[in-house]
Amino acid sequence: MTYIEKKALDLRSLPSPEPTPNKKEYDEERAICLSLDERKNENYKKYLHAERSIDVDYLPIKLDIEPVSRCNFRCTMCQVSEWPKMKRARDMTLDEFKKLIDDQYGLVEIKLQGMGEPLMNAEPFFEMIKYARLRRIWVRVTVNASLLHIKENYKKLIDSGVNEVQISIDGATQEVFESIRRGSTFSQVIKNCETINSYCESLNLIKTKMWTVVQKANFHQLIDLVHLASNIGFKSQVFSLNLSDFGQGEWREKNDSVTVDKFLDIDSANRLIDLGLSLGINVTFWCVTSKYSSSSSKTVCPWPFERAFIASDMRTVPCCMIANPDVLELGIGKSFSEAWNGEDYKNFREAHLKGNIPLACQSCYESKK
């Protein structure tokens, strides 16, 4: 076994992110969600007992839903930075969101964010959260924290009933943060994090999680980032060790050049965990140290069989790692409800099961020898 192979095994043993504030609350909320709708409960049972196949007789249990595809940052590792005016398409309307939630009665969880910054369309965004939470669907969101101070967005976000708020912090200093998250103002982001965390504390709630995309520009700041998380009121810090290529070769080349997951050793990771414990911060790691394999139905990517990414213009994308219907879209011209068991999806599932992995998905799979 080589050093890299051994280290990969070690990294898989590191703690991975859990729902905020804890798995117990997540499980309890899911049980309530399932109890409110017999159709949802039966659908979930079908999902749990189903074998992965071309045809599925259940609706997806999770969705990534993109309210907006536009952003106010031009992050160096993100495809949005190359879109005209940092926007791919129109915003999703509240009525479109409601219909999607109503049609997809199998949902127990959604991530309400895609490539854009959802607080750029704050009021409809808050209403979307409320609509899903009325059905006790677990709602996780990601924001860049730059707009939390405007019109008390921080308060409206927490008061919406959202379950988890991931906040992207990719540098412990202004120089590093603003070099990665171009167009940002570090001091405002940090102030906004302090404000939302203070508001959560006043309500005796734990809702937020600091999320760092580790790369060459900030790799030297991992210890500083744990201290920063503590100083601005976070109880959880996630280090994400992988950069997506969005199903595009040019982005694979760009992000491979700044990826540093192979340089994080197990001792350094454990030191970060121990530091977190001493500061009251739960340090975890999001890393893909092993890729999917088409050797069996159990080792292929699970996304085609349980969830999807719905873009802001209501187009269906296979997953959040692609997150762009202009790269790969399923069920062109169809609603998601029509697409889920349509020919495109069946062909897509068959391609994964038979090892004919689509080009946009290949970076997530083991390379064939």
Side-chain angles (χ1 to χ4, degrees), residues 30 33-51 55-63 100-109 137 305-308 336-337 340-341 349:
R30 183 176 60 190
C33 180
L34 292 172
S35 72
L36 295 178
D37 188 333
E38 185 57 32
R39 296 180 307 165
K40 189 189 297 283
N41 191 40
E42 288 302 314
N43 185 79
Y44 194 73
K45 289 177 181 177
K46 285 182 180 180
Y47 159 75
L48 289 178
H49 295 102
E51 297 287 337
D55 295 293
V56 295
D57 64 350
Y58 54 87
L59 295 177
I61 60 166
K62 303 176 185 178
L63 282 179
L100 178 63
I101 295 296
D102 291 346
D103 289 345
Q104 295 303 309
Y105 59 81
L107 292 173
V108 298
E109 177 184 343
I137 295 170
F305 309 94
E306 67 176 33
R307 66 193 300 180
F336 177 67
S337 296
W340 179 246
N341 271 313
R349 293 185 188 110

Side-chain angles (χ1 to χ4, degrees), residues 10 22 58 69 112 116 133 155 166 180 198 215 256 261 266-267 269 271 273 286 298 312 318 332 338 354-355 364:
D10 288 337
N22 53 57
Y58 54 87
S69 67
L112 192 54
R133 290 298 297 136
K155 186 175 186 295
Q166 292 179 187
I180 295 172
S198 177
Q215 50 201 283
D256 275 353
D261 61 323
I266 194 69
D267 291 335
R271 281 194 292 272
I273 294 170
W286 177 256
K298 294 180 179 180
S312 67
I332 296 173
E338 296 171 317
K354 291 189 174 181
C364 288

